[in-house]
Amino acid sequence: MRVGSKWVWIVVALVAPAGVTAQEERSVWAQKAEQLVRALEEGRFGEAEAMMAPAAREQLDSTRLANVWAQVVGGVGALKTLTLRPESMLGENHVVEFDAAFERQALLLRVVFQPDGLVAGFWLLPPGAASGSAGEGPPYADRTQFVEEEMVVGEAPWRLPATLTLPKAGESLPVLVLVHGSGPHDRDETIGPNKPFRDLAWGLATRGIAVLRYEKRTKAHAARLATLGTITVEEEVIADAVAALAVARAHERIDGNRVYLLGHSLGGMLAPEIAVRDGATAGVILLAGSNRPFGEVVAEQLTYIKSLPESAAPATQARLDAILDTVALLRAKSLPPEANVIGAPASYVYDLDQRDPLAAVKRVASPVLVLQGGRDYQVTEVDHERWRQALADRTDVQSKLYPDLNHLFVAGRGKATPSEYAQAGHVAEAVVSDIAQWIGGHR
């Protein structure tokens, strides 16, 4: 939880940790979270303190950690099991959550990591706290109007769990395939308590449009990907999106000529390339899709974050300055390929920057819809205008700017901030309605 400009550890209900249930593949973030739990459980409080970011460390040194942990152990007894939940992103931070079963109480254990691997925050919460008000789905979704089928996207060894949300009524349905932004996203594109892809799927299915969403490869196969060394967006995004389009097209209730593609953020940047590769996409939706070089966009984001009151702590300023220095070297192509840049190797970024989304979108033969939130600090109106200019001579292109929406297309006031993603919300109904109307107009 944020208190002033600092991350602090909040013990909502007293707890204590012990064993983690086995899972076939766990990300490096999940492993780090377990390492923190083990250090606390075994009394290695100096090691736990060293894992924390400076702002968190200012609040709890090893002595205070020992005192807190003594209260935890005395409160609910020993931990029996920790079961890993789907991981998510909170702005640039990685969120790892466990369902924690203790001797006398079940709790949710949440660890938030900065991109540099340090612990930004740690929570022990009631079991239902993770989903927040977003848990029941958006108010414009009618769950009596659709069903969900479990699907698989791709081939071994990269098979991805997926969900096809199908309207109960109708045959030869249009379908929309959703492609995630950057990070190891689940099929709902969970970010804090928000689930924008689930909102889109349920809202559109209520309106008669099927939606296919799937686990990202970096989410479902993190450990196996790590053995490959360097990967690019070809392995991380493009190949699986093309496979997902094929899966959607083959379903018996889907009209194979009405398969649409929606890319959000990084997915929006790559959606034109995916559509060109597929060759049969009925239309492409760019949802806050970036189209500028990675280093330029990240430097812009970090400079804005650095200006916020919540980043005023000297330790936070120093951390952001260090990342900006690394990004400057990246933009000058002075970093070695294996160097880490906000959780990704420089080689990944070098490959990404060789791709030209504006050139690719001009090669898309089907209609294009470009949507942008006016409060978005990650992908801005600059990107929106660049898409518009690239497609200015097309008569089958529509674009819309929503002044009150952020990067997740959730409504609010003022320019969005990273901490806003911790607040539960839903994709605005206007966005769902506009997408449904656009797809309905291309029969």
Side-chain angles (χ1 to χ4, degrees), residues 128-321:
S131 58
S133 63
E136 297 303 317
Y140 48 77
D142 182 351
R143 297 188 66 178
T144 68
Q145 300 299 309
F146 59 84
V147 295
E148 295 197 304
E149 293 184 9
E150 290 303 300
M151 308 283 286
V152 174
V153 166
E155 303 293 335
W158 306 113
R159 291 162 64 87
L160 303 173
T163 300
L164 179 64
T165 309
L166 279 167
K168 289 183 178 179
E171 298 297 329
S172 297
L173 297 166
V175 65
L176 182 64
V177 174
L178 308 182
V179 182
H180 330 65
S182 58
H185 285 295
D186 63 16
R187 71 194 77 186
D188 294 333
E189 203 184 36
T190 301
I191 300 174
N194 301 284
K195 297 179 180 293
F197 276 11
R198 185 204 56 188
D199 289 353
L200 289 171
W202 289 8
L204 290 168
T206 299
R207 291 158 172 78
I209 298 167
V211 178
L212 178 66
R213 63 198 198 273
Y214 55 94
E215 305 285 304
K216 198 170 178 183
R217 189 182 297 198
T218 44
K219 169 67 179 172
H221 299 291
R224 185 174 291 121
L225 281 171
T227 66
L228 298 182
T230 299
I231 67 168
T232 69
V233 290
E234 172 64 31
E235 297 85 9
E236 186 202 14
V237 179
I238 297 173
D240 294 329
V242 172
L245 288 165
V247 167
R249 192 171 286 121
H251 193 276
E252 60 183 4
R253 291 189 59 207
I254 297 300
D255 181 346
N257 295 315
R258 301 181 69 197
V259 179
Y260 295 82
L261 174 69
L262 180 151
H264 177 227
S265 197
L266 174 67
M269 181 181 192
L270 298 171
E273 185 172 346
I274 295 164
V276 170
R277 178 86 62 87
D278 175 70
T281 307
V284 177
I285 302 171
L286 309 180
L287 205 66
S290 176
N291 51 45
R292 291 179 285 157
F294 177 91
E296 177 184 340
V297 173
V298 171
E300 187 177 277
Q301 292 176 13
L302 292 171
T303 300
Y304 169 65
I305 292 170
K306 192 170 181 287
S307 73
L308 297 172
E310 62 195 67
S311 302
T316 302
Q317 291 284 305
R319 178 176 66 87
L320 291 169
D321 283 337

Side-chain angles (χ1 to χ4, degrees), residues 352-374:
L352 182 62
D353 282 348
Q354 288 178 357
R355 301 170 190 272
D356 188 343
L358 296 179
V361 79
K362 294 178 181 179
R363 296 166 55 205
V364 173
S366 55
V368 178
L369 177 63
V370 185
L371 303 180
Q372 175 67 44

